[in-house]
Amino acid sequence: MRTSARAAAAIVAAAAVVLLAACSGSSAASTGASKKATTVGFIMVGSTDDAGYNEAVEDGAKAVEKDLGTSVKVITADNIPENDSVTQTMQAMANQGAKIIFATSYGYYKYALEFAKAHPDITVLHQGGFLDGTFPKNFGTYWGEAYDPVGLGGMAAGAVTKSDKLGFIYAFPIAQSIANIDAFELGAQKVNPNAQTYVVNTSNWCDPLKQKQAVTALLNQGVDVFSQHQDCQSTVIQAVKSAGKKIVGYHYDAKSLDPDGWLTGSAWKWAPVYEAIIKSVEGGTFTGSKYNANWTGTFADGNNPLQLASFGSSVPADVQSKILAEKDALSKPGSSIFEGPIYCQDGTVLVPAGKTATYADTNSFSCLVKGVVGTLPKS
């Protein structure tokens, strides 16, 4: 997401208002928080009512404030674009005493890392990044093994489709999205070998107009079950609902938006991760810990922050049972939806027979698997 310098300045000014509002309105402030309270900042790229990625972060921040009580003071800033604005927002939070900052958008990575290097007294966490190198003592990344729950959603889609045509709307051809598209198709194939996944990219994490256009394009190709890797999902769900089709969600359990069309999905539950990281900083154990690294929660470890969302009424009981059985299988050590042999569209081997791709392997995925219809943009 890019904006002009003027627009960015306006947004940062607005963010400052949000920060002040957050401080004056927080339960910590209203209850006379102790001077020892740790100020924790959360920065989000989009709206906190997007029924998606950013609302999940907002829910996590609220849970932190509720669960940790007066030991923390939470401040938040939303709609901060992925440019120098995030650095200015982190500085604004530092000026308000923040000792821990969660930079929660993928495009914040380089800004978060540089801010951590320049502010060794502040612990900075990046959501979704991956550092290949030496970590500063006050920096870490965290994420969940997203492709496994996405694969479970693919099973629901493959079982319910009548046209055998599934749609997947994504923003950018980054490794995370490629792995999710591939996992969705592989999950569908587990219950329906004829299922194919048609892809459309929007080159934006949340552009309602492009999302509507993407849904229309997929409808014209006969798609009857949709999913996505977008930050906001309200527009896609409403467009799919209007067409009388089905939806598999991502980031947030938004079944309430379309109870009849909702199949299932993946939903972030961030609070346990946030709280564990905060406690490690407060306890002086962060440096050198698993959070001072690339931390990834998984089904196998029982700590995946991305969980299977609720089922809708359109998913038959026997299909639900198959999905839950597959979830149990994926919870065994070493298991993954990416169990070889898996082939790219052009027939080259993505995962060899007898091998299972690791999370690190998926970070270098650059091809769509057989069964996916469409190509990746070159940039």
Side-chain angles (χ1 to χ4, degrees), residues 122-350:
I122 299 174
T123 302
V124 181
L125 290 308
H126 182 260
Q127 188 164 297
F130 189 89
L131 174 58
D132 185 13
T134 302
F135 275 75
K137 294 180 179 179
N138 61 326
F139 182 76
T141 76
Y142 61 96
W143 192 241
E145 206 170 66
Y147 45 78
D148 280 342
V150 169
L152 298 178
M155 290 179 67
V160 169
T161 179
K162 295 179 179 178
S163 67
D164 293 334
K165 294 182 177 180
L166 317 177
F168 198 106
I169 302 166
Y170 69 100
F172 300 102
I174 61 175
Q176 280 181 20
S177 296
I178 294 171
N180 282 348
I181 294 168
D182 289 346
F184 187 76
E185 170 62 20
L186 293 173
Q189 290 179 9
K190 284 183 176 292
V191 294
N192 182 353
N194 297 319
Q196 292 183 302
T197 299
Y198 291 65
V199 294
V200 174
N201 82 293
T202 60
S203 300
N204 193 295
W205 290 115
C206 182
D207 185 326
L209 177 59
K210 288 185 176 180
Q211 290 177 338
K212 286 183 179 179
Q213 293 171 339
V215 171
T216 298
L218 291 168
L219 285 170
N220 290 338
Q221 295 179 78
V223 166
D224 62 356
V225 182
F226 292 73
S227 193
Q228 61 184 312
H229 187 161
Q230 301 271 291
D231 273 4
C232 56
Q233 58 177 351
S234 300
T235 299
V236 173
I237 293 175
Q238 293 297 344
V240 171
K241 180 181 180 181
S242 297
K245 306 303 181 184
K246 307 300 183 187
I247 186 79
V248 173
Y250 188 55
H251 290 317
Y252 199 81
D253 192 331
K255 184 169 70 174
S256 62
L257 296 179
D258 183 14
D260 294 332
W262 178 268
L263 298 182
T264 184
S266 311
W268 293 108
K269 186 178 181 181
W270 284 120
V273 181
Y274 293 157
E275 291 170 9
I277 291 172
I278 291 168
K279 289 177 180 177
S280 74
V281 175
E282 290 179 324
T285 61
F286 176 84
T287 300
S289 74
K290 61 184 179 182
Y291 299 120
N292 185 205
N294 296 310
W295 181 86
T296 305
T298 67
F299 279 161
D301 291 335
N303 58 5
N304 194 341
L306 190 64
Q307 302 180 357
L308 181 67
S310 60
F311 288 114
S313 58
S314 298
V315 184
D318 63 322
V319 175
Q320 295 185 27
S321 296
K322 289 180 181 177
I323 292 171
L324 293 175
E326 180 66 16
K327 182 177 182 293
D328 288 342
L330 291 172
S331 299
K332 296 178 181 177
S335 299
S336 170
I337 191 78
F338 292 113
E339 183 177 343
I342 300 173
Y343 300 93
C344 299
Q345 289 170 315
D346 62 3
T348 58
V349 176
L350 178 63

Side-chain angles (χ1 to χ4, degrees), residues 15-99:
V17 173
V18 171
L19 289 171
L20 289 171
C23 286
S24 61
S26 70
S27 62
S30 62
T31 55
S34 162
K35 291 182 179 179
K36 294 182 179 179
T38 302
T39 300
V40 182
F42 294 87
I43 307 174
M44 293 158 277
V45 70
S47 169
T48 58
D49 60 355
D50 62 0
Y53 186 81
N54 296 289
E55 189 161 352
V57 172
E58 173 78 356
D59 285 357
K62 288 180 177 177
V64 165
E65 190 171 41
K66 178 181 178 182
D67 295 345
L68 301 186
T70 56
S71 70
V72 299
K73 183 168 74 173
V74 172
I75 54 178
T76 63
D78 61 353
N79 287 306
I80 305 300
E82 296 171 330
N83 56 29
D84 288 343
S85 297
V86 69
T87 302
Q88 297 173 46
T89 303
M90 285 189 284
Q91 186 59 57
M93 288 182 165
N95 293 344
Q96 294 185 66
K99 292 300 181 183

